[in-house]
Amino acid sequence: MRFWDASAIVPLCEEQPSSDAMRALLREDSRVVVWWASLVECWSAFARLRREGVVDLAGEEAARTALERLRRSWVEIHPGEEVRLRAGRLLRTHPLRASDALQLAAALVWAGSPVSIKFVSLDQQLREAALLEGLTPLPA
C-alpha cells in the first residue's frame, strides 16, 4: 500500500506527461491511501486546468469521473489531533505550505513507527520533506 499525494493522483485522471509513470506505479500496487482533502485538491487542479484552457468543461468532467472511480477503492486518512500536531511540527521543520504539511502528516500518521512506506508525489519540495521524514518517495 502506498500513500498518494494529490499531485500524483491528477495525472491518473487527466493526461499529463507523468501519466504513464503514475499508471505504472498504480499497476504495481493498486492499494491507494490518501489524505482526506485530496479529493478537493484534485477538483481544484481540474478546475485550474479548465480555466487555463488545457481542458474544456467536458474534459474536466471526465477527469472528475475518473477520480470518482479511483476514490471508490482508496483509503482516506481523516483529520484529527495527531495529524494537526504533526503538520505543525512539519511546518517548523520543512519549507512546506499548510496543505502539504497536512498531506505529509497524514502519511506519517498512517505509516506509524518505524516509518517504512512509499510516498507517491510529483511535488519536489514535498518529496524532499518526505524523504527527510523517513518515507520513500516515488517515482524514484
Side-chain angles (χ1 to χ4, degrees):
M1 209 175 263
R2 296 173 176 164
F3 192 95
W4 287 68
D5 171 45
S7 68
I9 296 170
V10 169
L12 294 172
C13 304
E14 173 59 40
E15 195 61 36
Q16 297 186 342
S18 58
S19 292
D20 287 342
M22 295 304 100
R23 284 191 290 263
L25 288 174
L26 187 62
R27 278 192 303 274
E28 289 173 11
D29 186 347
S30 63
R31 298 169 301 162
V32 173
V33 180
V34 302
W35 162 234
W36 170 80
S38 293
L39 183 68
V40 175
E41 291 180 347
C42 290
W43 290 342
S44 175
F46 301 151
R48 186 186 75 253
L49 290 170
R50 179 185 39 81
R51 286 190 301 272
E52 292 173 352
V54 175
V55 299
D56 59 14
L57 187 57
E60 180 184 1
E61 287 305 312
R64 288 173 69 107
T65 298
L67 179 64
E68 187 56 37
R69 278 194 307 271
L70 184 59
R71 180 182 179 212
R72 289 186 205 134
S73 63
W74 74 29
V75 173
E76 281 185 0
I77 305 305
H78 291 267
E81 192 63 17
E82 187 176 4
V83 172
R84 182 178 18 231
L85 292 173
R86 286 208 188 195
R89 182 190 63 77
L90 292 168
L91 288 168
R92 295 184 74 178
T93 308
H94 306 285
L96 297 173
R97 295 180 305 266
S99 60
D100 288 338
L102 287 163
Q103 186 107 230
L104 183 52
L108 292 168
V109 167
W110 173 68
S113 184
V115 176
S116 63
I117 66 165
K118 308 268 193 291
F119 186 82
V120 185
S121 177
L122 297 174
D123 180 308
Q124 190 57 38
Q125 199 166 19
L126 187 53
R127 289 170 53 84
E128 289 172 11
L131 180 62
L132 289 170
E133 290 295 324
L135 304 178
T136 303
L138 293 176

